[in-house]
DNA sequence: TATGAAAAGATAATCCC
DNA sequence: GGGATTATCTTTTCATA
């Protein structure tokens, strides 16, 4: 998959900083990782080109965007032909309220992370959207109370040679 | 909580763009939302100050950082005094492999999203970390197969007055 | 091969209208 | 909200170790 170079400890420092704040200037970033501007900029460039940095995005505060309920939905699926499966994925990706979709080992087949505007909306979502997805035979929902921790920063402890 | 102004439809366009790509220049951003540079920059500034934009971060490709297993862990908790609860949260936040922690309605009390370097690591994590967290009485783990969708972009459809 | 210094270019930030 | 100016940062080039 990757013919890329192994990550140096400086690359890892750069990634650690940018996972926290991608709006840092290369000067400031260089300072923090103990490098001068241009080598720091070149490393950053390489990390973007190699796809190790997938994207730089703004994270929004959902509580400032109005009321919402975070819900995890667990789906059971019947064995499905490939084209139906593709349609399932297409609809998942076309639904902005579905933030994540994971295929699971075990009893349940799929887990969805859903950000619903309200419980009423979610009720409609179950019947009008989820149950109409191809292959879905059963839905179980788990409503969340509080988000005690939420980070997009991946652990970089043991990361070394790729 | 917020004495802030309601979000205009232009603000929402700005947020939609930045959720996808926060490395846009204000010029490019202004173009896309149909505004000129300076008013666009002022709105962006306000969205940051108001905390609607919580952060701008780099998203990394976990598969390029070496092998990893994404696991959801469900905890049952005994009723716990406040100081123990604070210690629980402190340890959750101090563990970089725990990406998310949600308090749940229903049978399970807590859900953790854990990015483990390996199954072996996770086994140790259960016994050395999770089971030693104050109040934890039971753990159930769900291993994920494939990440079919994963976005940090919140839905902005119905967002209007705050 | 990687760094640092410095120039050129682009962008962010501030002004006034 | 728009236009023009200044300050700052990014990106390229070049010299060096």
């Amino acid at each position: 998959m990757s013919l890329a170079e192994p990550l140096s400890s400086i690359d890892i420092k750069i990634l650690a900083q940018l996972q926290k704040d991608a709006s840092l200037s290369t000067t400031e970033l260089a300072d923090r990782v103990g490098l001068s501007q241009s080598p720091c900029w070149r490393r950053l460039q390489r990390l973007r080109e190699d796809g190790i940095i997938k994207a730089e995005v703004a994270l929004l505060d959902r509580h400032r965007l109005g009321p919402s309920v975070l819900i995890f939905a667990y789906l059971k699926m019947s064995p499905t032909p490939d084209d139906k499966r593709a349609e399932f994925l297409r609809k998942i990706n076309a639904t902005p309220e579905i933030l994540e979709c994971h295929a699971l080992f075990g009893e349940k087949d799929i887990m969805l992370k859903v950000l619903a505007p309200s419980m009423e909306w979610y009720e409609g979502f179950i019947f009008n959207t989820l149950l109409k997805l191809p292959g879905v035979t059963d839905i179980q929902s788990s409503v969340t109370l509080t988000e005690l921790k939420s980070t997009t920063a991946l652990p970089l402890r043991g990361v070394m040679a790729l």
Side-chain angles (χ1 to χ4, degrees), chain A:
Chain A
M1 186 179 191
S2 70
L3 301 174
E5 304 283 300
L7 291 181
S8 70
S9 81
I10 289 184
D11 287 326
I12 290 167
K13 283 183 191 171
I14 291 175
L15 294 175
Q17 290 295 328
L18 293 180
Q19 282 196 121
K20 290 192 290 184
D21 185 358
S23 70
L24 286 175
S25 72
T26 51
T27 317
E28 175 63 21
L29 182 61
D31 261 14
R32 297 196 188 180
V33 303
L35 223 60
S36 73
Q37 264 182 350
S38 30
C40 181
W41 178 83
R42 278 188 294 256
R43 280 171 185 275
L44 176 52
Q45 210 56 10
R46 197 171 54 73
L47 291 168
R48 285 199 258 242
E49 282 163 12
D50 289 355
I52 293 167
I53 296 176
K54 278 196 299 186
E56 285 149 81
V57 302
L59 302 180
L60 309 187
D61 185 340
R62 72 179 173 96
H63 300 293
R64 299 262 172 127
L65 296 175
S68 59
V69 194
L70 186 62
I71 299 169
F72 291 94
Y74 300 85
L75 311 182
K76 285 193 196 175
M77 312 284 292
S78 58
T80 327
D82 277 359
D83 59 328
K84 287 290 178 188
R85 198 173 156 74
E87 193 198 338
F88 174 84
L89 281 180
R90 200 184 51 71
K91 289 191 174 167
I92 293 287
N93 277 292
T95 308
E97 288 83 5
I98 299 176
L99 303 184
E100 298 179 21
C101 176
H102 304 273
L104 303 178
F105 267 126
E107 200 207 348
K108 306 292 184 176
D109 299 303
I110 296 284
M111 181 178 99
L112 302 178
K113 183 183 190 177
V114 181
L115 190 61
S118 69
M119 281 296 190
E120 292 68 34
W121 181 93
Y122 187 70
E123 191 182 345
F125 178 71
I126 289 181
F127 293 106
N128 301 326
T129 306
L130 290 187
L131 281 173
K132 288 184 180 165
L133 289 174
V136 173
T137 59
D138 186 70
I139 301 173
Q140 187 208 314
S141 301
S142 173
V143 177
T144 67
L145 290 163
T146 320
E147 230 167 313
L148 299 169
K149 177 177 184 178
S150 178
T151 182
T152 56
L154 307 185
L156 297 172
R157 277 178 183 169
V159 179
M160 271 294 147
L162 292 189

